Amino acid sequence: MTQKYEMNWDLDVFFEGGSSSSAFAELLEQLKSEIPALKKELELMKEDAGVEIWHDLLVRYQKLMSLTLQSYSFVDCLTSANVKDDKAKNLGGHVQAIHADLLAASTVLEAGLAKLSDESFNALISDAKIERIAFNLAEKRKASLDKLAPAAEELVGDLSVSGYHAWSDVYSSVVGRMEIPFEEDGEEKKLSVGQMFTRFQSPDREVRKDVFARWQAAWENEAELIALALNNLAGYRLALYKHRKWDSVLKEPLEMNRMSEETLTTMWETISQNKHRLTPFFERKAKMIGVEKLSWYDVDAPLPAGSSKVSFDEAATFITEQFEQFNPQMAEFAKMNFEDRWIEAEDRPGKRPGGFMTDFPVNNKGESRIFMTFAGTPGCVSTLAHELGHGYHTYVIRDLPMLAQRYAMNVAETASTFAEMIVIDAAITKATDKEEKVALLAEKIQSAIAFCMNIHARFLFETKFYAARKNGPVSKDSLNELMEQAQKDAFINLLDEYLPTFWASKLHFYGTDVPFYNFPYTFGYLFSTGIYARALAEGPSFADKYDALLKDTASMSVEELASRHLGVDLTKPDFWQDALDLVAADVEEFLALTNE
Ligand SMILES: [Zn+2]
């Protein structure tokens, strides 16, 4: 049978010739001169510059933003599809420098807005041409007012290269050189961290137990140096916050995610009150794999399932059909992705692992590209649906000014999780093989456990670690203790063994883009689940409301977003409770299916 949809994407519509494209090289040159030129103009702005001048600058700034993003996406696509494309890697370096220039221009823009009197600023944002980005400009202005004087911030930015980001690099190079000895197929191997991690997915418990012990030992071995990196990263942040007179380590991540601490607290509290409803799943799974109590390495372990595979065409049809029932526009969008070759899905060597969606915002066509390796498993179908959800988000907001398209991490996963849930639920309902049904359902519940317990442990750890770090460096042994306690608390003592060196093995603690790279995931997951609960209740009439919500994701706080489009108060438990009830219903179904 011939294949209906191609599994390779079309990047030539953007720039012909891949990493040898002359048009792309020209664009980079253009950005290298235009961004610093705009920065200069912003620096020379008079305080009494009128609305027209501001408008012109903002239009140009946003145009440069979208061109920079387009360049970033193009290079990211090239290097992902062919990890050996050295030309593309080299272009990546140029794009990074351009991105740094754009950030510098953004800082000057923020400072310019901060210099305006309240009166002039209000006049500016009430202008009809600027109104749509009023929220984003107010946000930028506040960011500048909250920081140190521009000259001091510029120094901070320069020093951070070797004093902050460098610790992240230290961490990456430690992880990069690590080799973990492992015996497999009668052979003594040395595995990288990434390779070893995949072995946790073994259906054989003895293998997982061995992987776990070696994993622990390997991280313990490097813990001293990694603790140094973690302590210095946190120390840097705390010192900067002190000078900026910020009293809470949550200030920065909460503001980046446009949410209040009250919402965060209510979310975790409601989760904690519902955790006992997950207990029967832990007990049943333990019984199914023949142990008294699950260990850390059993929580995500797969249950035996049939090895049914689907083709890319079948996946495409299945996803499109399921989308259709919730939102015909989503189905149209998916079809366009398959027909116009917006997806790189071929299973071949030389591709980067993982999956992502990246947008090409120039021309407001809402174009995006999805990268993944499609191997026909149910997990691949979910990933494809997930990334199409991200793409749909980009598509819905395509006509908005660039600044109004920059949604935060906690709502970024809304559309993707929503799309994924539609498809997973349909797959569970339609599965004819009982073993497969059980395995799919278990995977769905395990992802809820990851968001509500595993990520909660990270949050609890980070909160306690920062409190301790204020009084000086925290030793590796104390970090192990803090982590193990956080895991016990987050998993309400349901496990037999924990992973104390998790603080060393989790990359997310070492990123310098976003501190507290944990709670936004849980927020996104539950926010999306709550929206899904709404969609199930309201049927197809919910589609328009859903699109309207997506359109506002970068233009207001999450509290306002939820109140305006869903009529709910995120600082109260009800919305979170509805989402958690869906998780509990899955557990009930799992128990019923496995009750024999
Ligand atoms: Zn995602």
Side-chain angles (χ1 to χ4, degrees):
M1 212 177 82
T2 55
Q3 207 170 302
K4 188 170 165 201
Y5 296 123
E6 270 191 63
M7 290 173 81
N8 301 111
W9 57 22
D10 177 12
L11 296 178
D12 278 350
V13 291
F14 304 120
F15 303 98
E16 223 180 305
S19 48
S20 306
S21 161
S22 55
F24 186 65
E26 272 166 39
L27 171 65
L28 296 187
E29 287 310 310
Q30 182 198 335
L31 290 172
K32 273 182 210 165
S33 66
E34 282 185 17
I35 295 173
L38 181 80
K39 179 173 172 248
K40 188 121 268 147
E41 270 185 71
L42 282 163
E43 279 163 350
L44 297 172
M45 280 268 280
K46 297 256 168 31
E47 273 162 56
D48 57 356
V51 169
E52 282 314 312
I53 295 179
W54 268 108
H55 179 247
D56 169 64
L57 282 168
L58 287 167
V59 167
R60 280 159 57 206
Y61 172 75
Q62 292 180 89
K63 176 84 190 155
L64 292 170
M65 253 176 96
S66 72
L67 287 167
T68 304
L69 274 171
Q70 187 104 343
S71 318
Y72 173 85
S73 291
F74 185 62
V75 170
D76 201 22
C77 286
L78 293 176
T79 51
S80 305
N82 176 10
V83 290
K84 294 211 170 92
D85 190 341
D86 289 331
K87 251 188 193 165
K89 278 187 219 160
N90 182 275
L91 291 170
H94 291 273
V95 173
Q96 250 174 27
I98 288 168
H99 188 244
D101 284 349
L102 187 73
L103 278 182
S106 170
T107 306
V108 181
L109 174 68
E110 284 172 11
L113 292 166
K115 268 194 273 173
L116 294 177
S117 67
D118 288 350
E119 204 187 358
S120 320
F121 181 73
N122 288 332
L124 176 69
I125 57 172
S126 19
D127 186 86
K129 292 197 292 291
I130 294 177
E131 230 179 353
R132 190 61 185 83
I133 53 169
F135 172 84
N136 311 87
L137 295 184
E139 202 174 41
K140 281 188 174 298
R141 183 166 184 254
K142 183 177 180 303
S144 184
L145 291 168
D146 278 357
K147 285 183 196 163
L148 302 169
E153 286 293 338
E154 198 171 336
L155 179 63
V156 168
D158 286 349
L159 292 178
S160 72
V161 178
S162 308
Y164 181 42
H165 306 299
W167 286 109
S168 192
D169 296 341
V170 168
Y171 177 75
S172 304
S173 61
V174 172
V175 176
R177 69 161 195 219
M178 275 172 73
E179 284 182 329
I180 310 177
F182 186 58
E183 214 185 290
E184 202 173 47
D185 312 322
E187 225 184 296
E188 190 59 49
K189 296 177 177 173
K190 284 197 187 315
L191 299 184
S192 70
V193 165
Q195 288 172 317
M196 190 66 169
F197 188 71
T198 63
R199 273 37 175 203
F200 274 112
Q201 282 296 309
S202 169
D204 184 342
R205 189 165 198 265
E206 284 309 308
V207 173
R208 291 200 303 273
K209 199 180 163 79
D210 182 35
V211 172
F212 180 74
R214 288 166 185 269
W215 183 259
Q216 262 286 88
W219 291 104
E220 187 59 50
N221 210 17
E222 297 285 4
E224 203 94 44
L225 182 53
I226 299 180
L228 194 66
L230 187 65
N231 273 290
N232 281 302
L233 268 174
Y236 179 97
R237 264 178 203 149
L238 289 169
L240 181 58
Y241 292 170
K242 189 182 93 191
H243 283 277
R244 286 177 177 165
K245 302 205 170 21
W246 295 0
D247 52 3
S248 163
V249 285
L250 285 172
K251 177 182 162 67
E252 191 174 24
L254 284 170
E255 282 178 2
M256 282 175 128
N257 287 289
R258 297 167 177 143
M259 66 191 276
S260 73
E261 190 162 357
E262 217 183 335
T263 296
L264 182 64
T265 306
T266 307
M267 180 184 88
W268 285 130
E269 275 176 8
T270 318
I271 288 173
S272 294
Q273 280 154 14
N274 281 273
K275 278 182 180 173
H276 67 278
R277 297 167 88 189
L278 291 163
T279 307
F281 176 80
F282 282 81
E283 291 168 352
R284 181 61 54 83
K285 191 174 177 186
K287 201 172 160 204
M288 287 167 81
I289 59 175
V291 291
E292 196 58 34
K293 231 174 165 187
L294 294 184
S295 274
W296 180 268
Y297 50 84
D298 295 321
V299 180
D300 289 324
L303 287 173
S307 51
S308 68
K309 293 252 170 120
V310 291
S311 71
F312 189 60
D313 284 347
E314 284 164 342
T317 310
F318 185 72
I319 291 172
T320 313
E321 278 172 10
Q322 307 320 317
F323 283 179
E324 181 78 43
Q325 311 198 6
F326 278 83
N327 188 338
Q329 256 221 90
M330 263 173 87
E332 275 309 307
F333 173 79
K335 231 184 254 168
M336 184 160 73
N337 271 259
F338 294 115
E339 283 168 3
D340 296 348
R341 297 173 53 210
W342 288 15
I343 306 166
E344 171 58 54
E346 191 188 6
D347 189 356
R348 61 158 195 272
K351 277 173 81 163
R352 195 194 285 172
F356 63 79
M357 181 286 312
T358 190
D359 43 345
F360 286 82
V362 172
N363 297 333
N364 297 10
K365 285 189 191 156
E367 279 207 56
S368 53
R369 290 294 179 268
I370 288 171
F371 175 85
M372 67 173 296
T373 296
F374 187 86
T377 63
C380 292
V381 181
S382 309
T383 303
L384 184 53
H386 179 102
E387 303 306 338
L388 282 167
H390 277 306
Y392 183 65
H393 195 169
T394 293
Y395 185 70
V396 170
I397 61 176
R398 66 191 179 279
D399 293 327
L400 299 177
M402 230 20 237
L403 280 171
Q405 293 191 30
R406 306 311 291 158
Y407 47 77
M409 181 186 166
N410 58 344
V411 290
E413 294 304 331
T414 302
S416 54
T417 313
F418 183 79
E420 196 181 332
M421 259 181 244
I422 292 175
V423 168
I424 292 179
D425 270 2
I428 294 172
T429 310
K430 293 193 174 164
T432 44
D433 178 74
K434 191 177 163 196
E435 207 172 46
E436 192 176 327
K437 207 182 188 80
V438 169
L440 286 169
L441 196 54
E443 252 176 65
K444 194 179 172 210
I445 297 167
Q446 283 158 206
S447 95
I449 291 171
F451 288 115
C452 297
M453 292 176 156
N454 185 317
I455 293 187
H456 195 196
R458 303 180 203 182
F459 177 77
L460 293 174
F461 165 80
E462 219 163 10
T463 309
K464 297 215 167 97
F465 164 60
Y466 271 96
R469 180 64 186 81
K470 274 188 182 159
N471 304 319
V474 184
S475 71
K476 75 167 176 62
D477 292 334
S478 304
L479 289 168
N480 283 342
E481 280 163 29
L482 278 180
M483 181 51 92
E484 190 167 352
Q485 193 53 52
Q487 290 173 342
K488 284 181 180 164
D489 293 343
F491 280 85
I492 50 169
N493 291 309
L494 285 170
L495 303 180
D496 192 24
E497 288 166 279
Y498 296 87
L499 185 60
T501 54
F502 187 75
W503 60 270
S505 64
K506 196 74 216 165
L507 172 76
H508 289 169
F509 294 122
Y510 302 86
T512 48
D513 291 340
V514 204
F516 277 79
Y517 203 78
N518 40 61
F519 70 82
Y521 277 119
T522 306
F523 178 98
Y525 168 74
L526 284 181
F527 189 57
S528 183
T529 307
I531 292 171
Y532 182 61
R534 200 50 79 81
L536 286 174
E538 291 187 25
S541 67
F542 185 72
D544 288 341
K545 283 188 213 165
Y546 178 66
D547 290 359
L549 178 142
L550 291 184
K551 269 199 160 179
D552 275 341
T553 38
S555 302
M556 54 191 67
S557 69
V558 290
E559 288 81 13
E560 204 185 334
L561 187 71
S563 139
R564 185 176 298 189
H565 295 284
L566 305 167
V568 295
D569 183 352
L570 293 184
T571 64
K572 299 278 173 329
D574 312 64
F575 174 82
W576 306 108
Q577 187 59 50
D578 285 349
L580 290 159
D581 285 345
L582 281 190
V583 176
D586 285 337
V587 174
E588 292 295 321
E589 193 185 346
F590 182 84
L591 293 176
L593 276 170
T594 53
N595 187 21
E596 56 215 13

